[in-house]
Amino acid sequence: MPSCPWRNPLWGSRLRGVIERIEPVGASAATITIRPGLTWAGHVPGQFVTIGVDVNGVRHHRCYSLISLPSVGRGARMQITVQAAVDGVVSDHLVHHASVGEIVQLKPGRRRVHPV
């Protein structure tokens, strides 16, 4: 199927995001800013998001805590800080191989449950 240059990769039934910024934090970590698609419902403090990336033709998913302030709608952005782990496929990819403009899969943030 030919590529459609006018088709936005963030449109569609699956929630996706585009990496807008990768800011190194030392040699083995990075803070990554992601612009989610319009179906992103936003997030609140204490939530995490599942990020999916394709590495060597296989999709891998990992959960990361959101460190950004809540935002929703067209201007929504989210940030995660990732520490590359030994044998960590997703973390290594995000810290050392991801690039601005890369599309990632997203699963909506969920609230962490803390026992009282």
Side-chain angles (χ1 to χ4, degrees):
M1 183 169 158
S3 174
C4 296
W6 49 267
R7 188 165 197 288
N8 185 328
L10 300 182
W11 293 349
S13 60
R14 292 187 182 182
L15 183 56
R16 297 180 186 105
V18 62
I19 295 176
E20 287 197 335
R21 184 174 181 186
I22 301 170
E23 184 177 343
V25 181
S28 62
T31 296
I32 300 170
T33 302
I34 300 169
R35 178 174 43 95
L38 292 177
T39 58
W40 177 249
H43 64 278
V44 297
Q47 284 187 317
F48 64 90
V49 64
T50 302
I51 305 286
V53 297
D54 295 333
V55 179
N56 296 326
V58 178
R59 181 155 301 149
H60 300 270
H61 295 90
R62 290 295 177 268
C63 298
Y64 293 98
S65 295
L66 292 161
I67 64 166
S68 52
L69 294 173
S71 65
V72 68
R74 281 198 180 274
R77 299 294 184 273
M78 67 177 79
Q79 287 184 315
I80 57 174
T81 295
V82 179
Q83 173 74 43
V86 176
D87 298 326
V89 175
V90 176
S91 63
D92 181 68
H93 177 79
L94 290 172
V95 172
H96 299 296
H97 305 288
S99 58
V100 170
E102 182 174 332
I103 301 297
V104 295
Q105 303 299 310
L106 301 172
K107 290 187 182 174
R110 291 182 172 80
R111 184 177 271 304
R112 286 189 177 173
V113 178
H114 298 284
V116 180

